[in-house]
Amino acid sequence: GQRFLRPAGYDDHLTIRTTLTEVGGVRVRFDYEILRADELLTTGHTILASCNSKGRPQRMPPELRSLLGPVRRKVRPASDVQGANS
């Protein structure tokens, strides 16, 4: 999901913050924030799943899970980010 809060212009310098917020047996979740200076423009997330060659969900290989490591930081849901409800 994604939540647009403010527009960005063509020549704006933007910062994209990506945080790994969930690592499960099959799924991982990345949360995003897009900022212009200190102004939050957009929040969103992506959920990815590990699949076999037939497209069916399967547990991630142990070597991939070890590369992702443990989730160390919990990020507030987009609806809790300051300004997301304005």
Side-chain angles (χ1 to χ4, degrees), residues 16-23 29-33 35 40 43 68-77 81:
I16 302 171
R17 292 185 191 154
T18 305
T19 305
L20 178 62
T21 55
E22 178 184 327
V23 178
R29 176 180 167 140
F30 294 92
D31 285 1
Y32 307 98
E33 293 179 329
L35 302 101
L40 182 62
T43 62
L68 294 172
V71 175
R72 290 181 171 80
R73 181 178 151 227
K74 286 287 186 187
V75 174
R76 295 175 290 164
V81 174

PDB file of all heavy atoms in Angstrom, residues 16-23 29-33 35 40 43 68-77 81:
ATOM      1  N   ILE A  16      14.789   8.563  -0.076  1.00  0.00           N
ATOM      2  CA  ILE A  16      13.940   7.394   0.101  1.00  0.00           C
ATOM      3  C   ILE A  16      14.526   6.560   1.224  1.00  0.00           C
ATOM      4  O   ILE A  16      15.665   6.106   1.127  1.00  0.00           O
ATOM      5  CB  ILE A  16      13.834   6.566  -1.193  1.00  0.00           C
ATOM      6  CG1 ILE A  16      13.274   7.430  -2.320  1.00  0.00           C
ATOM      7  CG2 ILE A  16      12.970   5.313  -0.960  1.00  0.00           C
ATOM      8  CD1 ILE A  16      13.315   6.783  -3.684  1.00  0.00           C
ATOM      9  N   ARG A  17      13.757   6.386   2.281  1.00  0.00           N
ATOM     10  CA  ARG A  17      14.176   5.553   3.414  1.00  0.00           C
ATOM     11  C   ARG A  17      13.452   4.218   3.311  1.00  0.00           C
ATOM     12  O   ARG A  17      12.232   4.176   3.209  1.00  0.00           O
ATOM     13  CB  ARG A  17      13.801   6.198   4.742  1.00  0.00           C
ATOM     14  CG  ARG A  17      14.557   7.437   5.065  1.00  0.00           C
ATOM     15  CD  ARG A  17      14.177   7.904   6.456  1.00  0.00           C
ATOM     16  NE  ARG A  17      14.700   9.228   6.699  1.00  0.00           N
ATOM     17  CZ  ARG A  17      14.183  10.085   7.549  1.00  0.00           C
ATOM     18  NH1 ARG A  17      13.125   9.759   8.253  1.00  0.00           N
ATOM     19  NH2 ARG A  17      14.717  11.267   7.720  1.00  0.00           N
ATOM     20  N   THR A  18      14.201   3.145   3.344  1.00  0.00           N
ATOM     21  CA  THR A  18      13.639   1.796   3.277  1.00  0.00           C
ATOM     22  C   THR A  18      14.030   1.058   4.541  1.00  0.00           C
ATOM     23  O   THR A  18      15.201   1.061   4.921  1.00  0.00           O
ATOM     24  CB  THR A  18      14.191   1.041   2.055  1.00  0.00           C
ATOM     25  OG1 THR A  18      13.934   1.807   0.882  1.00  0.00           O
ATOM     26  CG2 THR A  18      13.540  -0.325   1.920  1.00  0.00           C
ATOM     27  N   THR A  19      13.045   0.432   5.184  1.00  0.00           N
ATOM     28  CA  THR A  19      13.294  -0.304   6.413  1.00  0.00           C
ATOM     29  C   THR A  19      12.678  -1.689   6.294  1.00  0.00           C
ATOM     30  O   THR A  19      11.509  -1.822   5.923  1.00  0.00           O
ATOM     31  CB  THR A  19      12.664   0.424   7.624  1.00  0.00           C
ATOM     32  OG1 THR A  19      13.153   1.754   7.655  1.00  0.00           O
ATOM     33  CG2 THR A  19      13.007  -0.270   8.914  1.00  0.00           C
ATOM     34  N   LEU A  20      13.467  -2.708   6.587  1.00  0.00           N
ATOM     35  CA  LEU A  20      12.961  -4.073   6.657  1.00  0.00           C
ATOM     36  C   LEU A  20      12.205  -4.200   7.978  1.00  0.00           C
ATOM     37  O   LEU A  20      12.799  -4.057   9.043  1.00  0.00           O
ATOM     38  CB  LEU A  20      14.115  -5.067   6.592  1.00  0.00           C
ATOM     39  CG  LEU A  20      13.767  -6.542   6.711  1.00  0.00           C
ATOM     40  CD1 LEU A  20      12.870  -6.994   5.554  1.00  0.00           C
ATOM     41  CD2 LEU A  20      15.038  -7.364   6.748  1.00  0.00           C
ATOM     42  N   THR A  21      10.891  -4.404   7.910  1.00  0.00           N
ATOM     43  CA  THR A  21      10.077  -4.394   9.130  1.00  0.00           C
ATOM     44  C   THR A  21       9.502  -5.753   9.505  1.00  0.00           C
ATOM     45  O   THR A  21       8.967  -5.898  10.599  1.00  0.00           O
ATOM     46  CB  THR A  21       8.919  -3.386   9.014  1.00  0.00           C
ATOM     47  OG1 THR A  21       8.154  -3.685   7.851  1.00  0.00           O
ATOM     48  CG2 THR A  21       9.451  -1.962   8.941  1.00  0.00           C
ATOM     49  N   GLU A  22       9.595  -6.726   8.609  1.00  0.00           N
ATOM     50  CA  GLU A  22       9.057  -8.055   8.926  1.00  0.00           C
ATOM     51  C   GLU A  22       9.803  -9.102   8.121  1.00  0.00           C
ATOM     52  O   GLU A  22      10.012  -8.936   6.924  1.00  0.00           O
ATOM     53  CB  GLU A  22       7.568  -8.109   8.573  1.00  0.00           C
ATOM     54  CG  GLU A  22       6.911  -9.432   8.812  1.00  0.00           C
ATOM     55  CD  GLU A  22       5.450  -9.435   8.339  1.00  0.00           C
ATOM     56  OE1 GLU A  22       4.784  -8.399   8.410  1.00  0.00           O
ATOM     57  OE2 GLU A  22       5.016 -10.502   7.867  1.00  0.00           O
ATOM     58  N   VAL A  23      10.235 -10.156   8.790  1.00  0.00           N
ATOM     59  CA  VAL A  23      10.835 -11.312   8.109  1.00  0.00           C
ATOM     60  C   VAL A  23      10.123 -12.539   8.636  1.00  0.00           C
ATOM     61  O   VAL A  23      10.200 -12.850   9.817  1.00  0.00           O
ATOM     62  CB  VAL A  23      12.356 -11.432   8.381  1.00  0.00           C
ATOM     63  CG1 VAL A  23      12.908 -12.677   7.699  1.00  0.00           C
ATOM     64  CG2 VAL A  23      13.087 -10.197   7.898  1.00  0.00           C
ATOM     65  N   ARG A  29       8.643  -7.831   4.558  1.00  0.00           N
ATOM     66  CA  ARG A  29       7.966  -6.554   4.342  1.00  0.00           C
ATOM     67  C   ARG A  29       8.999  -5.438   4.463  1.00  0.00           C
ATOM     68  O   ARG A  29       9.796  -5.400   5.390  1.00  0.00           O
ATOM     69  CB  ARG A  29       6.864  -6.333   5.371  1.00  0.00           C
ATOM     70  CG  ARG A  29       6.200  -4.970   5.233  1.00  0.00           C
ATOM     71  CD  ARG A  29       5.107  -4.771   6.248  1.00  0.00           C
ATOM     72  NE  ARG A  29       4.713  -3.384   6.301  1.00  0.00           N
ATOM     73  CZ  ARG A  29       3.475  -2.966   6.430  1.00  0.00           C
ATOM     74  NH1 ARG A  29       2.488  -3.834   6.553  1.00  0.00           N
ATOM     75  NH2 ARG A  29       3.208  -1.669   6.474  1.00  0.00           N
ATOM     76  N   PHE A  30       8.951  -4.534   3.485  1.00  0.00           N
ATOM     77  CA  PHE A  30       9.767  -3.330   3.491  1.00  0.00           C
ATOM     78  C   PHE A  30       8.839  -2.129   3.573  1.00  0.00           C
ATOM     79  O   PHE A  30       7.873  -2.041   2.814  1.00  0.00           O
ATOM     80  CB  PHE A  30      10.589  -3.220   2.197  1.00  0.00           C
ATOM     81  CG  PHE A  30      11.627  -4.294   2.043  1.00  0.00           C
ATOM     82  CD1 PHE A  30      11.343  -5.465   1.370  1.00  0.00           C
ATOM     83  CD2 PHE A  30      12.890  -4.122   2.581  1.00  0.00           C
ATOM     84  CE1 PHE A  30      12.293  -6.458   1.217  1.00  0.00           C
ATOM     85  CE2 PHE A  30      13.866  -5.109   2.433  1.00  0.00           C
ATOM     86  CZ  PHE A  30      13.564  -6.276   1.758  1.00  0.00           C
ATOM     87  N   ASP A  31       9.097  -1.215   4.504  1.00  0.00           N
ATOM     88  CA  ASP A  31       8.339   0.032   4.612  1.00  0.00           C
ATOM     89  C   ASP A  31       9.188   1.150   4.024  1.00  0.00           C
ATOM     90  O   ASP A  31      10.417   1.135   4.140  1.00  0.00           O
ATOM     91  CB  ASP A  31       8.004   0.345   6.067  1.00  0.00           C
ATOM     92  CG  ASP A  31       6.877  -0.538   6.592  1.00  0.00           C
ATOM     93  OD1 ASP A  31       6.369  -1.395   5.855  1.00  0.00           O
ATOM     94  OD2 ASP A  31       6.506  -0.356   7.751  1.00  0.00           O
ATOM     95  N   TYR A  32       8.530   2.126   3.381  1.00  0.00           N
ATOM     96  CA  TYR A  32       9.214   3.217   2.702  1.00  0.00           C
ATOM     97  C   TYR A  32       8.691   4.556   3.171  1.00  0.00           C
ATOM     98  O   TYR A  32       7.509   4.695   3.482  1.00  0.00           O
ATOM     99  CB  TYR A  32       8.971   3.143   1.184  1.00  0.00           C
ATOM    100  CG  TYR A  32       9.301   1.829   0.566  1.00  0.00           C
ATOM    101  CD1 TYR A  32       8.319   0.888   0.322  1.00  0.00           C
ATOM    102  CD2 TYR A  32      10.614   1.515   0.228  1.00  0.00           C
ATOM    103  CE1 TYR A  32       8.621  -0.338  -0.239  1.00  0.00           C
ATOM    104  CE2 TYR A  32      10.923   0.292  -0.343  1.00  0.00           C
ATOM    105  CZ  TYR A  32       9.917  -0.625  -0.576  1.00  0.00           C
ATOM    106  OH  TYR A  32      10.225  -1.833  -1.135  1.00  0.00           O
ATOM    107  N   GLU A  33       9.567   5.542   3.179  1.00  0.00           N
ATOM    108  CA  GLU A  33       9.205   6.942   3.352  1.00  0.00           C
ATOM    109  C   GLU A  33       9.957   7.712   2.279  1.00  0.00           C
ATOM    110  O   GLU A  33      11.142   7.469   2.049  1.00  0.00           O
ATOM    111  CB  GLU A  33       9.642   7.479   4.713  1.00  0.00           C
ATOM    112  CG  GLU A  33       8.929   6.870   5.883  1.00  0.00           C
ATOM    113  CD  GLU A  33       9.437   7.425   7.200  1.00  0.00           C
ATOM    114  OE1 GLU A  33      10.638   7.796   7.302  1.00  0.00           O
ATOM    115  OE2 GLU A  33       8.627   7.488   8.127  1.00  0.00           O
ATOM    116  N   LEU A  35      10.969  11.595   1.303  1.00  0.00           N
ATOM    117  CA  LEU A  35      11.034  12.926   1.899  1.00  0.00           C
ATOM    118  C   LEU A  35      11.699  13.923   0.960  1.00  0.00           C
ATOM    119  O   LEU A  35      12.561  13.560   0.171  1.00  0.00           O
ATOM    120  CB  LEU A  35      11.840  12.886   3.203  1.00  0.00           C
ATOM    121  CG  LEU A  35      11.324  11.948   4.276  1.00  0.00           C
ATOM    122  CD1 LEU A  35      12.135  10.680   4.291  1.00  0.00           C
ATOM    123  CD2 LEU A  35      11.339  12.628   5.613  1.00  0.00           C
ATOM    124  N   LEU A  40       7.787  14.934   4.872  1.00  0.00           N
ATOM    125  CA  LEU A  40       7.328  13.613   4.446  1.00  0.00           C
ATOM    126  C   LEU A  40       6.331  13.758   3.310  1.00  0.00           C
ATOM    127  O   LEU A  40       5.315  14.447   3.441  1.00  0.00           O
ATOM    128  CB  LEU A  40       6.680  12.881   5.630  1.00  0.00           C
ATOM    129  CG  LEU A  40       6.200  11.469   5.372  1.00  0.00           C
ATOM    130  CD1 LEU A  40       7.353  10.548   4.995  1.00  0.00           C
ATOM    131  CD2 LEU A  40       5.483  10.930   6.603  1.00  0.00           C
ATOM    132  N   THR A  43       4.367   7.596   2.073  1.00  0.00           N
ATOM    133  CA  THR A  43       4.733   6.390   2.811  1.00  0.00           C
ATOM    134  C   THR A  43       4.169   5.204   2.054  1.00  0.00           C
ATOM    135  O   THR A  43       3.204   5.327   1.295  1.00  0.00           O
ATOM    136  CB  THR A  43       4.171   6.384   4.253  1.00  0.00           C
ATOM    137  OG1 THR A  43       2.747   6.401   4.193  1.00  0.00           O
ATOM    138  CG2 THR A  43       4.674   7.571   5.053  1.00  0.00           C
ATOM    139  N   LEU A  68      19.116 -11.598   5.397  1.00  0.00           N
ATOM    140  CA  LEU A  68      18.166 -10.567   5.833  1.00  0.00           C
ATOM    141  C   LEU A  68      18.337 -10.259   7.309  1.00  0.00           C
ATOM    142  O   LEU A  68      18.146  -9.133   7.739  1.00  0.00           O
ATOM    143  CB  LEU A  68      16.731 -11.004   5.549  1.00  0.00           C
ATOM    144  CG  LEU A  68      16.372 -11.142   4.075  1.00  0.00           C
ATOM    145  CD1 LEU A  68      14.999 -11.762   3.920  1.00  0.00           C
ATOM    146  CD2 LEU A  68      16.454  -9.796   3.372  1.00  0.00           C
ATOM    147  N   GLY A  69      18.702 -11.278   8.089  1.00  0.00           N
ATOM    148  CA  GLY A  69      18.942 -11.067   9.515  1.00  0.00           C
ATOM    149  C   GLY A  69      17.655 -10.783  10.270  1.00  0.00           C
ATOM    150  O   GLY A  69      16.570 -10.714   9.702  1.00  0.00           O
ATOM    151  N   PRO A  70      17.779 -10.581  11.577  1.00  0.00           N
ATOM    152  CA  PRO A  70      16.599 -10.289  12.382  1.00  0.00           C
ATOM    153  C   PRO A  70      16.131  -8.851  12.165  1.00  0.00           C
ATOM    154  O   PRO A  70      16.940  -7.973  11.851  1.00  0.00           O
ATOM    155  CB  PRO A  70      17.082 -10.493  13.818  1.00  0.00           C
ATOM    156  CG  PRO A  70      18.544 -10.232  13.749  1.00  0.00           C
ATOM    157  CD  PRO A  70      18.986 -10.687  12.381  1.00  0.00           C
ATOM    158  N   VAL A  71      14.849  -8.626  12.312  1.00  0.00           N
ATOM    159  CA  VAL A  71      14.305  -7.271  12.242  1.00  0.00           C
ATOM    160  C   VAL A  71      14.607  -6.614  13.583  1.00  0.00           C
ATOM    161  O   VAL A  71      14.190  -7.087  14.629  1.00  0.00           O
ATOM    162  CB  VAL A  71      12.786  -7.299  11.953  1.00  0.00           C
ATOM    163  CG1 VAL A  71      12.212  -5.894  12.004  1.00  0.00           C
ATOM    164  CG2 VAL A  71      12.526  -7.933  10.598  1.00  0.00           C
ATOM    165  N   ARG A  72      15.345  -5.525  13.542  1.00  0.00           N
ATOM    166  CA  ARG A  72      15.782  -4.865  14.769  1.00  0.00           C
ATOM    167  C   ARG A  72      14.912  -3.685  15.153  1.00  0.00           C
ATOM    168  O   ARG A  72      14.906  -3.249  16.267  1.00  0.00           O
ATOM    169  CB  ARG A  72      17.219  -4.389  14.617  1.00  0.00           C
ATOM    170  CG  ARG A  72      18.212  -5.514  14.568  1.00  0.00           C
ATOM    171  CD  ARG A  72      19.625  -4.975  14.429  1.00  0.00           C
ATOM    172  NE  ARG A  72      20.613  -6.016  14.577  1.00  0.00           N
ATOM    173  CZ  ARG A  72      20.951  -6.870  13.640  1.00  0.00           C
ATOM    174  NH1 ARG A  72      20.344  -6.826  12.474  1.00  0.00           N
ATOM    175  NH2 ARG A  72      21.868  -7.787  13.848  1.00  0.00           N
ATOM    176  N   ARG A  73      14.204  -3.107  14.207  1.00  0.00           N
ATOM    177  CA  ARG A  73      13.471  -1.877  14.470  1.00  0.00           C
ATOM    178  C   ARG A  73      12.051  -2.010  13.956  1.00  0.00           C
ATOM    179  O   ARG A  73      11.831  -2.377  12.816  1.00  0.00           O
ATOM    180  CB  ARG A  73      14.172  -0.728  13.751  1.00  0.00           C
ATOM    181  CG  ARG A  73      13.530   0.598  13.960  1.00  0.00           C
ATOM    182  CD  ARG A  73      14.341   1.685  13.247  1.00  0.00           C
ATOM    183  NE  ARG A  73      13.415   2.730  12.888  1.00  0.00           N
ATOM    184  CZ  ARG A  73      13.341   3.319  11.713  1.00  0.00           C
ATOM    185  NH1 ARG A  73      14.160   2.979  10.786  1.00  0.00           N
ATOM    186  NH2 ARG A  73      12.461   4.234  11.480  1.00  0.00           N
ATOM    187  N   LYS A  74      11.095  -1.697  14.785  1.00  0.00           N
ATOM    188  CA  LYS A  74       9.705  -1.668  14.349  1.00  0.00           C
ATOM    189  C   LYS A  74       9.367  -0.261  13.894  1.00  0.00           C
ATOM    190  O   LYS A  74       9.696   0.714  14.555  1.00  0.00           O
ATOM    191  CB  LYS A  74       8.760  -2.057  15.492  1.00  0.00           C
ATOM    192  CG  LYS A  74       8.785  -3.534  15.793  1.00  0.00           C
ATOM    193  CD  LYS A  74       8.083  -4.289  14.715  1.00  0.00           C
ATOM    194  CE  LYS A  74       7.981  -5.743  15.065  1.00  0.00           C
ATOM    195  NZ  LYS A  74       7.452  -6.531  14.004  1.00  0.00           N
ATOM    196  N   VAL A  75       8.722  -0.142  12.763  1.00  0.00           N
ATOM    197  CA  VAL A  75       8.318   1.154  12.226  1.00  0.00           C
ATOM    198  C   VAL A  75       6.822   1.283  12.399  1.00  0.00           C
ATOM    199  O   VAL A  75       6.075   0.326  12.197  1.00  0.00           O
ATOM    200  CB  VAL A  75       8.700   1.246  10.724  1.00  0.00           C
ATOM    201  CG1 VAL A  75       8.157   2.506  10.110  1.00  0.00           C
ATOM    202  CG2 VAL A  75      10.197   1.171  10.568  1.00  0.00           C
ATOM    203  N   ARG A  76       6.387   2.470  12.762  1.00  0.00           N
ATOM    204  CA  ARG A  76       4.949   2.711  12.906  1.00  0.00           C
ATOM    205  C   ARG A  76       4.258   2.538  11.556  1.00  0.00           C
ATOM    206  O   ARG A  76       4.828   2.881  10.527  1.00  0.00           O
ATOM    207  CB  ARG A  76       4.708   4.132  13.397  1.00  0.00           C
ATOM    208  CG  ARG A  76       5.231   4.381  14.780  1.00  0.00           C
ATOM    209  CD  ARG A  76       5.080   5.821  15.145  1.00  0.00           C
ATOM    210  NE  ARG A  76       6.030   6.576  14.319  1.00  0.00           N
ATOM    211  CZ  ARG A  76       5.998   7.880  14.138  1.00  0.00           C
ATOM    212  NH1 ARG A  76       5.059   8.602  14.702  1.00  0.00           N
ATOM    213  NH2 ARG A  76       6.877   8.486  13.388  1.00  0.00           N
ATOM    214  N   PRO A  77       3.025   2.039  11.551  1.00  0.00           N
ATOM    215  CA  PRO A  77       2.275   1.953  10.299  1.00  0.00           C
ATOM    216  C   PRO A  77       2.108   3.338   9.685  1.00  0.00           C
ATOM    217  O   PRO A  77       2.133   4.344  10.406  1.00  0.00           O
ATOM    218  CB  PRO A  77       0.916   1.377  10.710  1.00  0.00           C
ATOM    219  CG  PRO A  77       1.125   0.795  12.052  1.00  0.00           C
ATOM    220  CD  PRO A  77       2.286   1.502  12.682  1.00  0.00           C
ATOM    221  N   VAL A  81       2.114   7.803  11.084  1.00  0.00           N
ATOM    222  CA  VAL A  81       3.178   8.758  10.823  1.00  0.00           C
ATOM    223  C   VAL A  81       2.604  10.159  10.892  1.00  0.00           C
ATOM    224  O   VAL A  81       1.526  10.430  10.364  1.00  0.00           O
ATOM    225  CB  VAL A  81       3.814   8.492   9.443  1.00  0.00           C
ATOM    226  CG1 VAL A  81       4.817   9.579   9.096  1.00  0.00           C
ATOM    227  CG2 VAL A  81       4.473   7.123   9.423  1.00  0.00           C
TER     228      VAL A  81
END
